[in-house]
Amino acid sequence: MPDELRSPIKHHLVLHRIGPEKEIRRFYSLMIERDLFGVVRLVCHWGRVGTRGQEAVTEFPSEDEAAEALEALASTKRRQGYRDL
């Protein structure tokens, strides 16, 4: 893909929360993507490590708005004890 078509936005972020004393092993994945029709989507995938987890998809009018939502969710998860993987 030519550089002018690549997005400068961080498209994938994986967070994890491991707490052996409480037997917590969770993951939270955030990804910005475009579908076949060019719609910008923020895909959130979360659950216990080793399971299929759950997924939610939100559509946005632009990559910038999706990136703001990604950063807001990541910030919230980091305050809850999640760390970057």
Side-chain angles (χ1 to χ4, degrees), residues 8-20:
I9 296 173
K10 185 175 193 177
H11 285 91
H12 195 214
L13 176 65
V14 179
L15 303 168
H16 67 105
R17 183 175 175 198
I18 310 263

Side-chain angles (χ1 to χ4, degrees), residues 2-60:
D3 286 339
E4 63 271 4
L5 295 178
R6 290 183 190 263
S7 173
I9 296 173
K10 185 175 193 177
H11 285 91
H12 195 214
L13 176 65
V14 179
L15 303 168
H16 67 105
R17 183 175 175 198
I18 310 263
E21 65 283 349
K22 295 183 181 179
E23 297 183 16
I24 297 172
R25 296 183 52 80
R26 302 192 56 80
F27 69 91
Y28 203 89
S29 171
L30 300 162
M31 181 174 52
I32 297 173
E33 66 181 20
R34 285 189 182 270
D35 67 10
L36 293 174
F37 304 105
V39 176
V40 177
R41 304 169 1 142
L42 175 60
V43 180
C44 302
H45 186 223
W46 69 92
R48 291 181 60 89
V49 172
T51 66
R52 291 180 51 156
Q54 298 178 26
E55 185 174 279
V57 177
T58 308
E59 295 181 356
F60 289 89

